[in-house]
Amino acid sequence: MAQKSIVLFLLLFPAFWACKTAQKGASGPADIEVIAYYSGNADEVGRFRADQLTQIIYSFCHLRGNELAVDNAADSLTIRRLVALKQKNPRLKVLLSLGGWGGCETCSPVFAGEAARREFAASVLRLIREYGCDGIDLDWEYPAIEGYPGHAYDPADKRHFTLLVQELRRVLGPRYEISFAAGGFQRFFDHSVEWAEVMPLLDRVNLMSYDLVSGFSTQTGHHTPLYSSPRQQLSADYGVRYLDSIGVPRKKIVIGAAFYARSWEQVPNTDRGLYQPGKFKSFISFRQFDTRLSPKDGFVFYRDSIAQAPYAYSVARGEFATFDDATSVALKTKYAREKGLGGIMFWQLGGDTDTNGLLQAIHDARHSKMNYNRRATK
C-alpha cells in the first residue's frame, strides 16, 4: 500500500507542482501598490492615468494649531478632484499627507503632548470623512533628528511618533489607512522610529529611496539608485535589506522613485562628473528633461550598471544630473515584485509627461510577464 502511494505521488507531483507554480505566478508578481504623491494643482489632475495607480497621496496638508488643516480653497478643490478620480478607478485610494520637507515646523512640539495628539487624530478623521479620503500619510521630516534647517527636533520625538501612530490607529480604526514617509538613510533608521512598535499599526512605510545625495551635498552621486556601489552605500536595496533585517514585513515596504533630476554645476570633467565636487544647482522635473538636459547643451547620458542608475554630464557646461528614467523605474518595479514588497511610490505625479512617461513604464513593468532583470555588473 505504501509503495502504491509513493508511485501515485511521483506520478502526480509534476502536475501538482505546475498547478502551484501557475497559481503563484497568477496572483503574486503584479499584486503591488503603485502610489503617487501629488503636489500639483486642480487643473492638472485630469491629465493623469488614474487607472494605472492604486493610491494617490495629496501633498501636503499642514498643522494649524494642533489640527490637520487644508491650507486654502485651491488645495481643497485639488483634493476633491483627486477623490473624483475614483469614478474612473473605483479601486483607487486617496490619502491626505501631513508635512513634507519644510512643512512640519511645529510637529515636534505639538506631538509631544497627549492632548495635542488626540486633537490631531480627531481632525484627521474629520477631514477624511469630509473629503471622502481613505487615510493619512505622515511625512514628518524628521522625528528626533535634524531635518529642515531651523525646525525643532528632540530625541523624545522617536517615542512621540509611536504614540502619535497609536492614537491615529485608535481613532481611525481598521477602516482607514495609515502610512508614513521614511528617510532612506541610516540616521533615520536608527534614531527616528520605534519600528517594532509602529509597523504592526501601519499599512506601509514609503521608503524615500531618493534624495540620497541631497542639495546639501558638495559632491555628486546617484540620488535614487536601486543598488549600492563601492562608492555609495545608500540605495533602495540597502534600505529594504536593512528594514527586512530588523523585522519590518516586506509586504509593508514600498520603495521610492524620483520623477525629477537633481543637478550640480561647476563639476570637473572627471569620470563623467560622477562622485566629483560641485555646487547643487536645481531640480528638474522629468517632463523638462528634453529641454533642460538637452544634447544641444552638451549633455551625454550614461548608466551605472552596478547601481542601476542613470545620469548625465555636460562637459561644455560642467553640469551633472542624477535621476530616474523609464529603464530604472521599470527595474525598481520588477525588484519590488521579485522581493515581495508592498510596491513602488514616487515623488511626484505632476512631474511626469502626458504620454509614454515614467508612470507608463511602471505600469508596463508591473504587468510584465518577462523574467526579472538581475543586478548587472560592470
Side-chain angles (χ1 to χ4, degrees):
M1 186 67 178
Q3 289 179 334
K4 290 182 178 179
S5 298
I6 293 172
V7 170
L8 182 62
F9 174 77
L10 291 174
L11 289 172
L12 294 178
F13 180 78
F16 169 79
W17 181 251
C19 180
K20 294 297 287 184
T21 302
Q23 290 174 352
K24 181 178 180 181
S27 63
D31 189 23
I32 63 171
E33 300 283 343
V34 178
I35 301 172
Y37 282 87
Y38 182 67
S39 67
N41 59 44
D43 293 338
E44 288 202 325
V45 169
R47 74 179 179 88
F48 303 117
R49 291 287 304 273
D51 60 306
Q52 296 182 346
L53 296 166
T54 64
Q55 189 176 114
I56 298 179
I57 301 177
Y58 170 73
S59 310
F60 292 98
C61 299
H62 300 101
L63 287 175
R64 185 178 297 155
N66 297 335
E67 296 185 348
L68 184 70
V70 177
D71 291 343
N72 51 54
D75 289 354
S76 179
L77 178 60
T78 301
I79 296 169
R80 295 194 186 281
R81 288 193 178 173
L82 290 174
V83 172
L85 292 175
K86 294 182 182 184
Q87 297 172 12
K88 298 180 180 179
N89 179 6
R91 299 181 64 182
L92 180 70
K93 293 184 178 181
V94 178
L95 274 65
L96 301 175
S97 186
L98 163 72
W101 183 248
C104 220
E105 182 176 3
T106 61
C107 285
S108 179
V110 167
F111 296 140
E114 181 180 355
R117 292 192 296 268
R118 286 200 303 267
E119 282 188 59
F120 175 78
S123 70
V124 169
L125 180 60
R126 186 165 58 250
L127 284 181
I128 286 174
R129 288 174 171 172
E130 177 182 345
Y131 287 97
C133 294
D134 300 282
I136 178 74
D137 180 72
L138 301 171
D139 195 355
W140 176 359
E141 300 184 28
Y142 306 100
I145 62 174
E146 184 176 10
Y148 191 84
H151 283 193
Y153 63 96
D154 188 291
D157 292 339
K158 184 176 186 178
R159 183 59 187 167
H160 296 155
F161 183 76
T162 301
L163 296 173
L164 173 64
V165 171
Q166 289 174 346
E167 182 64 16
L168 281 168
R169 183 53 74 197
R170 184 189 71 80
V171 171
L172 299 184
R175 175 181 176 183
Y176 297 112
E177 298 207 356
I178 307 173
S179 59
F180 79 101
F185 51 95
Q186 196 64 49
R187 186 163 174 77
F188 182 94
F189 296 150
D190 291 342
H191 299 289
S192 293
V193 178
E194 295 176 334
W195 296 96
E197 296 191 52
V198 164
M199 288 311 301
L201 303 173
L202 294 169
D203 293 277
R204 64 189 58 82
V205 50
N206 293 328
L207 180 64
M208 293 188 286
S209 45
Y210 43 73
D211 294 341
L212 300 181
V213 176
S214 73
F216 297 106
S217 176
T218 56
Q219 178 176 290
T220 67
H222 299 302
H223 96 84
T224 182
L226 177 54
Y227 291 106
S228 304
S229 67
R231 296 289 299 273
Q232 186 171 334
Q233 181 186 54
L234 295 179
S235 66
D237 178 66
Y238 177 86
V240 169
R241 287 187 291 107
Y242 180 80
L243 294 179
D244 185 45
S245 75
I246 61 173
V248 176
R250 288 192 180 190
K251 201 62 180 174
K252 290 190 176 185
I253 301 173
V254 174
I255 57 173
F259 281 27
Y260 63 94
R262 282 181 170 273
S263 70
W264 278 256
E265 59 188 354
Q266 301 173 24
V267 179
N269 182 18
T270 303
D271 293 337
R272 302 166 177 171
L274 184 59
Y275 303 125
Q276 301 303 312
K279 178 184 177 183
F280 178 74
K281 182 179 180 182
S282 66
F283 295 93
I284 304 170
S285 69
F286 178 72
R287 61 193 300 193
Q288 297 175 314
F289 279 17
D290 287 347
T291 56
R292 298 280 300 277
L293 298 176
S294 170
K296 293 180 181 179
D297 294 320
F299 281 100
V300 179
F301 288 74
Y302 305 99
R303 189 171 306 276
D304 185 328
S305 61
I306 295 178
Q308 292 291 6
Y311 61 102
Y313 181 67
S314 169
V315 174
R317 287 175 169 256
E319 291 183 15
F320 172 92
T322 166
F323 45 85
D324 267 322
D325 63 6
T327 298
S328 65
V329 298
L331 288 171
K332 286 180 176 179
T333 305
K334 293 176 181 180
Y335 174 93
R337 294 171 65 191
E338 179 182 39
K339 300 297 183 181
L341 305 184
I344 185 169
M345 62 85 174
F346 52 88
W347 179 271
Q348 60 98 12
L349 185 59
D352 204 8
T353 53
D354 291 347
T355 58
N356 298 319
L358 297 185
L359 176 57
Q360 185 66 52
I362 290 171
H363 175 77
D364 293 344
R366 181 188 178 205
H367 295 285
S368 172
K369 295 182 180 180
M370 296 172 62
N371 291 330
Y372 294 112
N373 285 312
R374 301 295 181 179
R375 180 175 178 175
T377 56
K378 283 188 175 177

XYZ file of all heavy atoms in Angstrom, residues 20-67:
370
model
N 0.660 24.663 -8.726
C 1.051 25.610 -7.674
C 1.857 26.764 -8.261
O 1.688 27.913 -7.877
C 1.863 24.897 -6.592
C 1.084 23.860 -5.807
C -0.064 24.475 -5.036
C 0.416 25.250 -3.843
N -0.689 25.776 -3.023
N 2.747 26.446 -9.198
C 3.557 27.479 -9.812
C 2.689 28.448 -10.601
O 2.875 29.666 -10.550
C 4.622 26.855 -10.743
O 5.420 25.952 -9.973
C 5.499 27.917 -11.381
N 1.712 27.918 -11.333
C 0.817 28.765 -12.105
C 0.007 29.675 -11.193
O -0.188 30.855 -11.470
C -0.120 27.907 -12.952
N -0.453 29.097 -10.065
C -1.209 29.904 -9.116
C -0.359 31.036 -8.560
O -0.811 32.172 -8.441
C -1.718 29.025 -7.967
C -2.823 28.065 -8.393
C -3.201 27.112 -7.268
O -2.548 27.071 -6.225
N -4.247 26.353 -7.490
N 0.877 30.728 -8.219
C 1.778 31.735 -7.675
C 2.018 32.833 -8.698
O 1.970 34.026 -8.390
C 3.097 31.091 -7.265
C 4.093 32.076 -6.656
C 5.359 31.353 -6.238
C 6.354 32.328 -5.630
N 7.606 31.678 -5.243
N 2.253 32.452 -9.958
C 2.504 33.439 -10.989
C 1.310 34.316 -11.268
O 1.424 35.486 -11.567
N 0.099 33.725 -11.123
C -1.102 34.477 -11.433
C -1.440 35.492 -10.370
O -1.936 36.564 -10.655
C -2.264 33.505 -11.630
N -1.159 35.167 -9.113
C -1.636 36.029 -8.035
C -0.552 36.895 -7.418
O -0.861 37.890 -6.797
C -2.262 35.169 -6.921
O -1.275 34.321 -6.358
N 0.710 36.547 -7.600
C 1.737 37.219 -6.839
C 2.407 38.418 -7.481
O 2.257 39.531 -7.019
N 3.138 38.238 -8.590
C 4.068 39.261 -9.037
C 3.469 40.631 -9.291
O 4.062 41.641 -8.944
C 4.637 38.657 -10.334
C 4.518 37.186 -10.153
C 3.253 36.998 -9.377
N 2.284 40.712 -9.907
C 1.734 42.022 -10.261
C 0.964 42.658 -9.119
O 0.505 43.777 -9.244
C 0.831 41.879 -11.490
N 0.820 41.949 -8.025
C -0.020 42.429 -6.932
C 0.766 43.371 -6.028
O 1.050 43.061 -4.878
C -0.564 41.245 -6.132
C -1.611 41.666 -5.112
O -2.233 42.723 -5.294
O -1.783 40.941 -4.123
N 1.138 44.524 -6.550
C 1.859 45.521 -5.772
C 1.150 46.865 -5.899
O 0.393 47.106 -6.843
C 3.334 45.659 -6.209
C 3.431 46.150 -7.656
C 4.086 44.352 -6.017
C 4.842 46.525 -8.082
N 1.413 47.734 -4.932
C 0.849 49.070 -4.966
C 1.677 49.974 -5.888
O 2.898 49.844 -5.980
C 0.854 49.683 -3.563
C 0.062 48.903 -2.526
C -1.431 49.104 -2.647
O -1.855 50.076 -3.301
O -2.185 48.293 -2.082
N 0.986 50.865 -6.578
C 1.634 51.936 -7.327
C 1.083 53.234 -6.755
O -0.095 53.567 -6.957
C 1.371 51.843 -8.834
C 2.029 53.014 -9.570
C 1.883 50.519 -9.388
N 1.934 53.953 -6.024
C 1.491 55.081 -5.199
C 2.139 56.367 -5.687
O 3.359 56.462 -5.788
C 1.861 54.839 -3.723
C 1.200 53.553 -3.219
C 1.459 56.029 -2.854
C 1.665 53.128 -1.841
N 1.297 57.351 -5.973
C 1.788 58.650 -6.438
C 1.566 59.710 -5.374
O 0.452 59.869 -4.876
C 1.052 59.058 -7.706
N 2.624 60.424 -5.031
C 2.446 61.679 -4.312
C 2.083 62.737 -5.352
O 2.601 62.723 -6.475
C 3.721 62.086 -3.579
C 3.959 61.318 -2.293
C 4.626 60.098 -2.310
C 3.525 61.815 -1.070
C 4.849 59.394 -1.129
C 3.748 61.125 0.112
C 4.409 59.909 0.080
O 4.620 59.210 1.236
N 1.180 63.633 -4.966
C 0.770 64.689 -5.893
C 0.759 66.024 -5.185
O 0.073 66.207 -4.183
C -0.619 64.409 -6.473
C -1.045 65.468 -7.474
C -0.378 65.584 -8.688
C -2.080 66.355 -7.183
C -0.742 66.564 -9.603
C -2.447 67.339 -8.104
C -1.781 67.447 -9.309
O -2.124 68.421 -10.207
N 1.515 66.989 -5.726
C 1.578 68.320 -5.123
C 1.177 69.408 -6.106
O 1.442 70.581 -5.880
C 2.996 68.604 -4.594
O 3.913 68.707 -5.673
N 0.538 69.005 -7.216
C 0.146 69.970 -8.220
C -1.198 70.611 -7.926
O -1.758 70.477 -6.831
N -1.731 71.290 -8.919
C -3.000 71.983 -8.731
C -4.165 71.190 -9.305
O -3.983 70.133 -9.924
C -2.938 73.384 -9.351
C -2.632 73.337 -10.843
O -3.187 72.530 -11.579
N -1.739 74.216 -11.289
N -5.373 71.712 -9.103
C -6.582 71.007 -9.508
C -6.692 70.882 -11.026
O -7.205 69.882 -11.542
C -7.805 71.724 -8.948
N -6.208 71.877 -11.764
C -6.384 71.894 -13.208
C -5.656 70.758 -13.913
O -6.060 70.349 -15.006
C -5.894 73.235 -13.781
C -6.748 74.409 -13.339
O -7.914 74.175 -12.967
O -6.246 75.548 -13.335
N -4.579 70.253 -13.313
C -3.782 69.219 -13.966
C -4.229 67.798 -13.635
O -3.760 66.847 -14.254
C -2.307 69.378 -13.582
C -1.621 70.571 -14.215
C -0.113 70.392 -14.241
O 0.425 69.799 -13.292
O 0.512 70.826 -15.217
N -5.123 67.640 -12.684
C -5.495 66.304 -12.212
C -6.013 65.430 -13.352
O -5.698 64.234 -13.428
C -6.540 66.406 -11.084
C -7.144 65.042 -10.773
C -5.901 66.989 -9.833
N -6.764 66.010 -14.278
C -7.389 65.224 -15.330
C -6.449 64.641 -16.352
O -6.848 63.762 -17.132
N -5.193 65.076 -16.377
C -4.283 64.583 -17.415
C -3.588 63.276 -17.049
O -2.865 62.709 -17.867
C -3.248 65.654 -17.775
C -2.147 65.893 -16.781
C -1.192 66.981 -17.298
N -0.113 67.278 -16.395
C 1.063 66.630 -16.397
N 1.290 65.662 -17.263
N 2.009 66.966 -15.530
N -3.839 62.763 -15.846
C -3.118 61.583 -15.395
C -3.943 60.304 -15.547
O -5.175 60.332 -15.483
C -2.693 61.754 -13.936
C -1.857 62.972 -13.695
C -2.304 63.993 -12.875
C -0.641 63.118 -14.324
C -1.547 65.126 -12.663
C 0.125 64.255 -14.135
C -0.324 65.266 -13.306
N -3.253 59.178 -15.710
C -3.881 57.871 -15.871
C -4.184 57.278 -14.494
O -3.399 56.514 -13.933
C -2.961 56.941 -16.658
C -2.797 57.309 -18.120
C -4.059 56.984 -18.931
N -4.428 55.583 -18.809
C -3.940 54.608 -19.587
N -3.074 54.886 -20.544
N -4.332 53.357 -19.412
N -5.348 57.621 -13.968
C -5.732 57.121 -12.649
C -5.868 55.607 -12.634
O -5.707 54.968 -11.592
C -7.051 57.769 -12.211
N -6.150 55.018 -13.802
C -6.308 53.561 -13.871
C -4.989 52.837 -13.671
O -4.978 51.620 -13.423
C -6.925 53.160 -15.209
C -6.065 53.588 -16.391
O -5.735 54.788 -16.480
O -5.716 52.724 -17.218
N -3.859 53.550 -13.763
C -2.552 52.931 -13.576
C -2.039 53.071 -12.149
O -0.923 52.639 -11.858
C -1.548 53.525 -14.560
C -1.885 53.230 -16.016
C -0.864 53.787 -16.990
O -0.029 54.620 -16.631
N -0.924 53.336 -18.233
N -2.835 53.661 -11.280
C -2.447 53.898 -9.891
C -3.348 53.110 -8.950
O -4.509 52.848 -9.255
C -2.558 55.384 -9.549
C -1.635 56.335 -10.312
C -2.091 57.766 -10.126
C -0.192 56.160 -9.845
N -2.791 52.768 -7.805
C -3.614 52.191 -6.743
C -3.872 53.199 -5.632
O -4.813 53.046 -4.861
C -2.945 50.946 -6.127
O -1.718 51.325 -5.484
C -2.654 49.893 -7.194
N -3.026 54.240 -5.565
C -3.166 55.211 -4.490
C -2.539 56.542 -4.904
O -1.510 56.571 -5.577
C -2.466 54.675 -3.233
C -2.718 55.473 -1.975
C -2.075 54.830 -0.755
O -1.155 55.389 -0.168
N -2.540 53.654 -0.386
N -3.196 57.638 -4.521
C -2.642 58.981 -4.667
C -2.603 59.621 -3.288
O -3.578 59.557 -2.540
C -3.475 59.850 -5.617
C -3.489 59.258 -7.029
C -2.933 61.278 -5.655
C -4.329 60.054 -8.013
N -1.468 60.226 -2.963
C -1.314 60.907 -1.682
C -1.242 62.405 -1.950
O -0.286 62.891 -2.559
C -0.056 60.435 -0.938
C -0.129 58.915 -0.675
C 0.105 61.187 0.380
C 1.099 58.338 -0.010
N -2.270 63.135 -1.504
C -2.274 64.584 -1.687
C -1.210 65.216 -0.788
O -1.169 64.980 0.418
C -3.643 65.193 -1.356
C -3.549 66.695 -1.314
C -3.422 67.418 -2.502
C -3.490 67.379 -0.103
C -3.263 68.799 -2.474
C -3.340 68.764 -0.075
C -3.224 69.454 -1.260
O -3.050 70.804 -1.229
N -0.394 66.088 -1.372
C 0.753 66.654 -0.668
C 0.798 68.175 -0.843
O 0.986 68.650 -1.964
C 2.038 66.053 -1.215
O 1.958 64.637 -1.257
N 0.605 68.945 0.221
C 0.516 68.474 1.608
C -0.544 69.264 2.354
O -0.847 70.403 1.995
C 1.852 68.668 2.344
C 2.958 67.808 1.845
C 3.885 68.288 0.949
C 3.069 66.501 2.291
C 4.916 67.485 0.513
C 4.100 65.698 1.862
C 5.025 66.182 0.957
N -1.034 68.660 3.428
C -1.751 69.387 4.464
C -0.739 69.741 5.559
O 0.357 69.183 5.606
C -2.863 68.529 5.065
S -4.126 68.013 3.880
N -1.115 70.694 6.424
C -0.192 71.141 7.466
C -0.922 71.298 8.789
O -2.158 71.205 8.846
C 0.464 72.466 7.055
C 1.247 72.367 5.789
N 0.754 72.809 4.571
C 2.470 71.845 5.529
C 1.648 72.575 3.622
N 2.700 71.993 4.179
N -0.148 71.506 9.820
C -0.731 71.754 11.129
C -1.232 73.187 11.232
O -0.544 74.128 10.829
C 0.295 71.495 12.233
C 0.647 70.039 12.539
C 1.762 69.976 13.573
C -0.581 69.277 13.032
N -2.427 73.321 11.772
C -2.951 74.625 12.168
C -3.301 74.492 13.645
O -4.297 73.867 13.996
C -4.172 75.000 11.344
C -4.698 76.416 11.630
C -5.878 76.727 10.738
N -5.486 76.719 9.314
C -6.340 76.477 8.323
N -7.610 76.207 8.589
N -5.914 76.504 7.068
N -2.433 75.006 14.473
C -2.550 74.689 15.892
C -2.199 73.224 16.094
O -1.129 72.769 15.676
N -3.115 72.483 16.681
C -2.897 71.046 16.895
C -3.616 70.190 15.857
O -3.593 68.959 15.966
C -3.385 70.636 18.296
C -2.616 71.330 19.400
O -1.467 71.742 19.204
N -3.240 71.474 20.561
N -4.243 70.813 14.880
C -5.095 70.072 13.961
C -4.514 70.021 12.551
O -3.787 70.925 12.125
C -6.488 70.708 13.913
C -7.228 70.650 15.247
C -8.646 71.169 15.131
O -8.992 71.781 14.081
O -9.434 70.957 16.078
